[in-house]
Amino acid sequence: QKATVVLFSATNKHHHFRMDLAIHTENSAITLQRLEQNDPTLTKLTLGSLRGFFPGAGKAHCWPTTSADLARLGVAIGANTNLLSLDIRNIYVLADLAANNKVFFGGLSFNVSVTSLSLVDCSFSSGIGYEILNGFLLNNCSLTQIVMYDCSLGDGGSGYLATALSKCVNLNSVSLSPSVDDGILVEIVSGIRGLRRLQKLSLPGSNFG
């Protein structure tokens, strides 16, 4: 049986990126409008990369292309009362737009409906992950589940995360992947020690000892 070889050059990569961005810009505008209108059928939002996003009931995707759109999105999420799940993926375009975008992060901090937060490829020592910790998590008592994948906890990030988690008094499930070391685990445990409703701490791939 012949093997199939696919050559994906940098030129092709950027070409496909531009095509994806063009395709999803219109859908993002529609999603933003639905959020601002507090559409009761929109309960799950993915912000950023489409990797791992599967369309389904209640789901929508948004990929802002300007800082103004991202700020508008933050305000919309903050005022929305029907959104239950938020999945934020820190692709480099989103990271550039989010830099110093206090309106976006400030808007997030006002949301009281989201119960499930997923963060992918975010740094908790700086950038999007840090800002989300300072705003959204520290002011949100509705969260019951947090999932973090491929997030950087170095350079003080684990301490910031532990402090933020300690404020999420209704958390019942926390998942951190990939692995964390003993030192990071100690800080995380110190943060969740007082969470009376926590039932599950998942650390797939971690080895301790």
Side-chain angles (χ1 to χ4, degrees):
Q1 185 176 0
K2 294 183 178 180
T4 300
V5 178
V6 178
L7 300 178
F8 196 57
S9 68
T11 301
N12 285 336
K13 180 178 180 180
H14 288 297
H15 172 69
H16 284 283
F17 174 79
R18 288 194 298 270
M19 287 180 62
D20 288 343
L21 196 56
I23 291 171
H24 296 296
T25 296
E26 184 176 357
N27 289 339
S28 294
I30 295 172
T31 297
L32 180 53
Q33 187 175 45
R34 291 176 64 192
L35 285 168
E36 290 176 329
Q37 294 173 349
N38 210 13
D39 184 347
T41 65
L42 175 51
T43 59
K44 301 175 182 179
L45 175 67
T46 294
L47 172 60
S49 174
L50 276 171
R51 181 182 299 177
F53 174 76
F54 301 97
K59 292 183 177 182
H61 174 264
C62 194
W63 190 337
T65 56
T66 68
S67 294
D69 282 345
L70 189 62
R72 185 179 159 196
L73 178 65
V75 173
I77 292 174
N80 192 283
T81 58
N82 293 304
L83 197 62
L84 301 176
S85 175
L86 183 59
D87 181 2
I88 299 179
R89 296 164 181 267
N90 186 7
I91 58 169
Y92 63 89
V93 171
L94 183 59
D96 290 341
L97 293 180
N100 299 316
N101 198 323
K102 297 187 181 300
V103 176
F104 169 67
F105 294 112
L108 289 185
S109 69
F110 285 103
N111 180 273
V112 294
S113 64
V114 172
T115 60
S116 177
L117 175 66
S118 176
L119 300 173
V120 179
D121 193 19
C122 292
S123 169
F124 289 139
S125 57
S126 63
I128 288 180
Y130 174 75
E131 294 291 349
I132 289 172
L133 292 183
N134 266 343
F136 188 61
L137 290 188
L138 287 177
N139 293 282
N140 191 304
C141 291
S142 63
L143 284 176
T144 60
Q145 175 179 305
I146 296 180
V147 177
M148 287 162 277
Y149 181 77
D150 202 19
C151 292
S152 171
L153 295 172
D155 297 325
S158 55
Y160 294 131
L161 176 59
T163 299
L165 290 178
S166 70
K167 306 294 184 180
C168 300
V169 296
N170 289 310
L171 273 182
N172 59 46
S173 176
V174 176
S175 177
L176 296 174
S177 179
S179 61
V180 297
D181 60 27
D182 288 13
I184 289 177
L185 179 63
V186 169
E187 290 195 271
I188 298 301
V189 169
S190 70
I192 63 176
R193 191 187 304 276
L195 300 181
R196 297 179 179 273
R197 299 190 179 186
L198 188 66
Q199 299 177 9
K200 179 182 179 182
L201 174 61
S202 178
L203 303 166
S206 296
N207 295 307
F208 309 110

